[in-house]
Amino acid sequence: MPDAPAARVELTVSEGVAHLRLVRADARNAIDRAMVDALERAASTCAHDPDVRALLITAAGPSFTVGGDLDHLYGALERLPTELDEMIATFHRALVRLADLAVPVVCAVQGAAAGGGLGLLWCADVVIAAEDAKLVAGFAELALSGDGGSSWFLPRVIGLRRAQEMMLGNRALSATEAAEWGLVNQVVPADRLTEQARRIARELAAGPTAAYGEMRRLLRRAFCTSLDDQLEAERRAMVRCADTADAREGITAFGERRAPTFAGHDRAPTDA
């Protein structure tokens, strides 16, 4: 009998930080149907919880995630197209939710980060990698084209040629190489990984939530928008932010020569 979905992901919220943790360590956090279902539920919870001011994504065990559960897919060979279609549709809904969150996302990566599981990194604003981390697409070895948003994010983050090298050439990147390529923000010793990621998440959670949400949206759209349209989107976003208590607090704190204290709860509505 397969494990219950609750065995795949844990979600807790403390002091404004939601902590989404992959907990299928015995399978190196391989992604199966139960995992994608749990991720979709967790992402939806984060999106609707007004107490969430930042999200931290981590994983239990020696690997962040090895990507799709190949044992699961091997058992579904006779219906592989249907199985992948259904799993990927759910997984991608979860990733869209995470990418669209109105709060910053921090991801801590150790060991293997592979396949579609890389999508969790692509949804983050800050990625911290342990020194033993290794990023690899791995799709070519399986004669699959890839999922998790790699074909969209990689050319934008590292350029087309390097994206082609990772996808078609199946190039595996060490933590140091991933930092040099711009896929992770910093590399730390493994024993400091969670501590460093939590510190950053707490700092972001204390910030201006509405402004962070607008920044995330503007930066994502910048690759697909003309300069004129982007400037107009910036104007509208600034006006929305100006109508928040945090903006008034930030400007007041500057005038009073003190550090601001942001409430972070009055999230500005984003464009449709």
Side-chain angles (χ1 to χ4, degrees), residues 140-179:
E141 288 188 356
L142 305 173
L144 295 172
S145 54
D147 65 331
S150 288
S151 66
W152 194 90
F153 282 98
L154 283 175
R156 289 164 169 79
V157 175
I158 62 176
L160 178 60
R161 289 294 176 241
R162 281 182 163 175
Q164 290 167 324
E165 187 174 351
M166 276 197 74
M167 296 288 286
L168 281 72
N170 207 33
R171 169 77 177 269
L173 299 180
S174 68
T176 300
E177 290 171 325

Side-chain angles (χ1 to χ4, degrees), residues 85-226:
D85 186 17
E86 294 172 356
M87 284 180 59
I88 292 172
T90 303
F91 184 46
H92 284 181
R93 285 195 299 270
L95 293 180
V96 168
R97 283 276 196 182
L98 294 174
D100 284 346
L101 287 178
V103 298
V105 179
V106 179
C107 188
V109 182
Q110 79 280 6
L118 290 169
L120 295 170
L121 281 66
W122 309 155
C123 293
D125 304 289
V126 179
V127 180
I128 311 299
E131 291 173 334
D132 68 345
K134 183 169 75 171
L135 279 60
V136 61
F139 300 114
E141 288 188 356
L142 305 173
L144 295 172
S145 54
D147 65 331
S150 288
S151 66
W152 194 90
F153 282 98
L154 283 175
R156 289 164 169 79
V157 175
I158 62 176
L160 178 60
R161 289 294 176 241
R162 281 182 163 175
Q164 290 167 324
E165 187 174 351
M166 276 197 74
M167 296 288 286
L168 281 72
N170 207 33
R171 169 77 177 269
L173 299 180
S174 68
T176 300
E177 290 171 325
E180 291 171 350
W181 282 29
L183 289 173
V184 306
N185 295 84
Q186 58 181 275
V187 179
V188 299
D191 60 358
R192 289 184 48 215
L193 176 66
T194 302
E195 173 192 352
Q196 176 72 344
R198 282 178 176 161
R199 182 186 66 77
I200 293 172
R202 285 194 297 264
E203 289 177 355
L204 290 169
T209 304
Y212 285 156
E214 296 287 5
M215 291 174 191
R216 297 195 86 217
R217 181 184 60 83
L218 287 167
L219 289 170
R220 283 196 310 277
R221 293 188 178 183
F223 293 105
C224 314
T225 307
S226 69

Side-chain angles (χ1 to χ4, degrees), residues 234-257:
E234 285 185 354
R235 182 192 65 79
R236 292 195 301 267
M238 286 285 278
V239 171
R240 285 192 294 269
C241 288
D243 196 31
T244 65
D246 277 350
R248 292 188 290 275
E249 165 63 9
I251 293 172
T252 299
F254 176 82
E256 296 176 353
R257 302 300 188 265

